[in-house]
């Protein structure tokens, strides 16, 4: 991730200056036979992911309409590791890829679904011997149980297909990044911005918000044995990082204030 140092928190951020045009939240969005009232769900508070899952047309999976919020994460994990807080519906961040995988299994268990990920055949994350947010590599192999019906991270292909929304825009939902994404929040060499509540910009045609900008989103795919891909760019990224065809890679144990995730579920699974 392109980065500059922010003296306030010692983290590193990307350089890109821009102006922002605030847009209202769409009251509801539809996708095939699935209709999601995003505004109502956010106002109520997201504690069940199923209320915001959108079926992807022509594909056998559904995807969360927004990035995983701090409220949803805390309702499942009992804690919030984010560097930014104080506002409702902020995306959760400061998460490693391992943390995101653990969340998926915990959420699946909460909603009485079959967890997707396992270590040595064990799906109970309490038995994995992993301590969240420790910035350390987890040696055991995490496997994807493809017949399980629970929540998981999208593949890069799934993420990019959903982000395109059946259109040919450079960014998710528009060729004008200011309309659909938060990005480039720095002044000179100092990062001055932060994450923003989800679904404040316009969605793409599938009704998915913030797939360009706000926070990078972890994907399942590996770049190497210790690195995983993430997509979408963040609030402090260059515009090119927010293009739907762009992907980045980072160490799976890494977490930062511009790195979060969203979840998918294979819709053919019952």
């Amino acid at each position: 991730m392109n980065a500059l140092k922010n003296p306030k928190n010692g983290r590193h951020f990307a350089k890109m200056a821009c102006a922002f045009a605030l847009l209202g939240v769409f009251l509801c969005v539809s996708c095939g036979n699935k209709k999601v009232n995003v505004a109502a769900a956010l106002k109520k508070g997201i504690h069940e992911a199923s209320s915001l899952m959108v079926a992807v047309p022509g594909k056998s999976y559904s995807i969360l309409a927004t990035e995983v919020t701090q409220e949803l994460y805390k309702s499942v994990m009992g804690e919030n590791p984010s560097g930014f807080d104080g506002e409702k519906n902020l995306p959760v961040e400061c998460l490693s890829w391992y943390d995101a995988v653990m969340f998926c299994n915990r959420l699946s268990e909460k909603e009485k679904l079959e967890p997707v990920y396992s270590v040595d055949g064990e799906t109970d994350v309490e038995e994995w011997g992993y301590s969240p947010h420790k910035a350390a590599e987890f040696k055991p192999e995490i496997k994807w149980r493809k017949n399980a019906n629970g929540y998981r991270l999208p593949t890069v292909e799934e993420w990019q297909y959903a982000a395109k929304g059946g259109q040919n825009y450079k960014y998710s939902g528009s060729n004008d990044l200011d309309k659909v994404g938060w990005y480039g929040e720095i002044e000179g060499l100092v990062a001055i911005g932060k994450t923003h509540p989800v679904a404040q910009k316009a969605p793409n045609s599938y009704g998915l918000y913030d797939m360009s900008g706000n926070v990078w989103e972890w994907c399942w795919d590996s770049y190497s044995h210790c690195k995983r891909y993430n997509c979408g760019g963040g609030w402090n990224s260059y515009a090119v990082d927010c293009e739907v065809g762009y992907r980045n890679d980072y160490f799976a144990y890494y977490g930062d204030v511009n790195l979060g995730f969203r979840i998918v579920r294979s819709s053919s699974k019952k």
Side-chain angles (χ1 to χ4, degrees):
M1 299 175 190
N2 300 311
L4 291 169
K5 181 171 286 188
N6 183 336
K8 183 177 180 180
N9 56 33
R11 300 182 185 277
H12 295 274
F13 304 108
K15 181 179 180 181
M16 179 69 193
C18 70
F20 296 96
L22 293 176
L23 299 176
V25 180
F26 281 41
L27 291 179
C28 64
V29 296
S30 61
C31 179
N33 296 320
K34 177 75 172 182
K35 192 172 186 179
V36 177
N37 191 326
V38 175
L42 292 176
K43 183 177 181 180
K44 183 178 179 181
I46 308 172
H47 300 293
E48 292 186 4
S50 57
S51 66
L52 280 178
M53 296 300 289
V54 175
V56 178
K59 297 292 182 178
S60 59
Y61 67 97
S62 56
I63 186 168
L64 199 67
T66 71
E67 294 153 335
V68 172
T69 64
Q70 295 178 18
E71 289 88 349
L72 176 58
Y73 186 87
K74 187 174 182 179
S75 73
V76 175
M77 304 301 288
E79 50 97 19
N80 179 15
S82 303
F84 298 119
D85 56 20
E87 291 183 79
K88 188 176 178 63
N89 297 320
L90 288 173
V92 69
E93 22 83 6
C94 287
L95 292 161
S96 72
W97 182 86
Y98 303 122
D99 297 332
V101 163
M102 286 187 67
F103 171 86
C104 289
N105 270 25
R106 284 274 190 87
L107 178 61
S108 296
E109 291 172 347
K110 181 182 178 183
E111 297 193 8
K112 302 187 185 307
L113 300 171
E114 188 177 1
V116 170
Y117 301 116
S118 68
V119 171
D120 295 328
E122 178 59 67
T123 60
D124 184 353
V125 297
E126 296 298 327
E127 302 298 323
W128 289 3
Y130 172 71
S131 298
H133 323 309
K134 298 299 183 182
E137 185 177 358
F138 183 57
K139 299 294 185 181
E141 181 184 5
I142 296 176
K143 293 186 177 181
W144 174 4
R145 304 167 65 245
K146 294 191 176 183
N147 289 325
N149 66 356
Y151 294 99
R152 59 181 176 83
L153 295 178
T155 65
V156 170
E157 181 180 4
E158 288 173 331
W159 190 98
Q160 292 181 344
Y161 185 91
K164 289 177 181 177
Q167 300 170 311
N168 196 32
Y169 292 130
K170 181 181 292 187
Y171 310 107
S172 182
S174 179
N175 284 325
D176 184 351
L177 183 51
D178 288 331
K179 291 182 178 180
V180 295
W182 303 100
Y183 72 108
E185 298 188 29
I186 66 114
E187 185 175 274
L189 298 179
V190 179
I192 60 172
K194 61 182 292 296
T195 56
H196 298 268
V198 300
Q200 297 298 299
K201 298 274 187 170
N204 71 4
S205 63
Y206 291 168
L208 307 178
Y209 292 84
D210 300 302
M211 295 201 78
S212 288
N214 211 12
V215 292
W216 290 89
E217 300 179 14
W218 283 115
C219 294
W220 165 256
D221 309 58
S222 60
Y223 173 79
S224 66
H225 76 283
C226 60
K227 286 187 173 184
R228 296 282 174 163
Y229 284 113
N230 45 74
C231 297
W235 57 270
N236 56 349
S237 295
Y238 290 102
V240 67
D241 298 333
C242 301
E243 294 180 11
V244 294
Y246 186 84
R247 62 182 182 180
N248 187 43
D249 61 85
Y250 224 90
F251 293 103
Y253 57 77
Y254 180 80
D256 207 343
V257 291
N258 61 355
L259 183 55
F261 69 110
R262 81 177 66 211
I263 52 177
V264 301
R265 185 179 171 216
S266 298
S267 55
S268 60
K269 309 299 182 186
K270 303 297 183 182

